[in-house]
Amino acid sequence: MQETLKDWQDDLPEAWRAVFGDVALGFDDCDPSLMLEPWEPIFPARRGQTFPGAPEGAHMLRAFDDIAPEDVTCLILGQDPYPAPDFATGRAFEAGNVAVWRELDKMFSKSVRAYMQLICAARADKPEYARSFEAWPGLLDEIESGKVDLESADRLADRWVRQGVLLLNSSLTLSRFQVAVDPHQARGHLPVWRPLMLRVLEILVERGAPLVIIAFGDAATDCLALARLTSPSPPIHVISRPHPAFADELLPMENPFVACNRLLEAKGVQPIDW
């Protein structure tokens, strides 16, 4: 892992490299009993490296591309990359290699589909799109018929980034995955990246500018707790939600993207065109 991530800062845009300074990744916090097999991939790959079948432009620090620290008005904080190298792009909840939205049904997890239910409900002002996961097939039909105007996955993420949305995961890499959280996730990848996550939060808070953080899942909530942001003061607002993989818990709650725009508007900040 240390060999793979040697000189990781070189993969960052200059704006982020400058503010991260001497951040050291948390290799000392990893469980020393964990081992990676020689054949075992770590994905997404480094910038400029090719991983067979990976989405175009995917790399582990992709979330920091095309957005500067001073431009962030919404931080979406997830858990880790999608557990398939052909879907993982390096940006949270972006499904790579998805040419049409029906391809999301190939995914064993509900996460991206439930996430997109919330997005469509927010942008169309139709809460019924996200009342339960059972609404997904009907929403998919409306997307395909053109009743819901939805760009491709990569164009959608690009547009959010241009509006100031940082699509970040609590861990930027993955090798093994379990729904119940594999030890390599909990005691390996997540601790490695935690110092960087805490520095991101510190940087964004230090600006004193309005910011909404949407935290999905326990890993994101843990990061906020370590950064002492569980009960922040304005202009920082935190919206905590279950991970979209647990759609039945998440969808009955208030739509976090609707709540985000309400908070941004209250601070005189342009809402996100989800």
Side-chain angles (χ1 to χ4, degrees):
M1 190 75 172
Q2 284 181 286
E3 182 180 346
T4 298
L5 297 179
K6 183 181 179 182
D7 299 325
W8 60 272
Q9 297 96 331
D10 294 346
D11 295 357
L12 287 164
E14 178 55 37
W16 289 99
R17 196 182 314 156
V19 296
F20 285 151
D22 58 354
V23 170
L25 300 184
F27 295 110
D28 292 343
D29 296 323
C30 290
D31 183 342
S33 69
L34 297 176
M35 298 293 292
L36 286 171
E37 300 293 340
W39 50 264
E40 197 167 359
I42 296 172
F43 62 91
R46 294 285 302 268
R47 182 191 288 275
Q49 295 182 0
T50 301
F51 194 101
E56 184 178 356
H59 68 95
M60 60 181 65
L61 293 166
R62 176 81 172 97
F64 299 104
D65 289 349
D66 306 314
I67 186 169
E70 61 270 20
D71 295 331
V72 178
T73 59
C74 175
L75 166 62
I76 292 177
L77 189 60
Q79 180 171 295
D80 40 35
Y82 194 83
D86 54 337
F87 285 123
T89 68
R91 296 194 290 201
F93 299 108
E94 179 186 21
N97 285 334
V98 171
V100 295
W101 288 104
R102 188 166 291 276
E103 292 180 355
L104 291 183
D105 288 347
K106 298 176 182 177
M107 296 180 172
F108 66 86
S109 170
K110 296 179 178 179
S111 57
V112 180
R113 285 171 286 176
Y115 186 91
M116 292 311 302
Q117 285 183 259
L118 292 167
I119 290 294
C120 290
R123 74 188 300 181
D125 192 23
K126 290 191 173 183
E128 60 268 26
Y129 288 155
R131 292 214 188 278
S132 72
F133 192 67
E134 284 66 38
W136 167 252
L139 171 59
L140 184 57
D141 288 342
E142 297 208 8
I143 292 171
E144 293 181 333
S145 70
K147 291 181 180 179
V148 175
D149 183 19
L150 195 63
E151 310 96 312
S152 61
D154 57 341
R155 288 178 56 208
L156 194 59
D158 285 343
R159 185 164 61 76
W160 293 338
V161 170
R162 288 195 299 270
Q163 294 179 83
V165 182
L166 179 59
L167 301 167
L168 193 63
N169 278 314
S170 300
S171 171
L172 302 183
T173 52
L174 196 64
S175 53
R176 300 182 192 179
F177 174 80
Q178 294 180 27
V179 173
V181 184
D182 188 272
H184 283 71
Q185 293 169 273
R187 304 201 302 269
H189 294 275
L190 283 164
V192 163
W193 292 107
R194 189 163 293 128
L196 183 63
M197 298 304 112
L198 296 179
R199 182 61 180 143
V200 169
L201 292 167
E202 181 184 12
I203 289 164
L204 296 179
V205 170
E206 283 178 347
R207 305 172 310 165
L211 173 70
V212 175
I213 301 171
I214 306 177
F216 287 108
D218 292 342
T221 302
D222 289 347
C223 279
L224 297 179
L226 289 169
R228 300 183 181 180
L229 286 180
T230 49
S231 299
S233 301
I236 311 298
H237 297 274
V238 173
I239 301 169
S240 294
R241 292 290 186 271
H243 193 277
F246 301 98
D248 295 338
E249 297 178 28
L250 169 64
L251 294 178
M253 304 174 74
E254 182 188 15
N255 191 316
F257 303 108
V258 173
C260 172
N261 278 357
R262 183 178 66 248
L263 292 166
L264 289 175
E265 288 184 291
K267 291 295 178 183
V269 178
Q270 182 72 27
I272 307 300
D273 180 9
W274 296 110

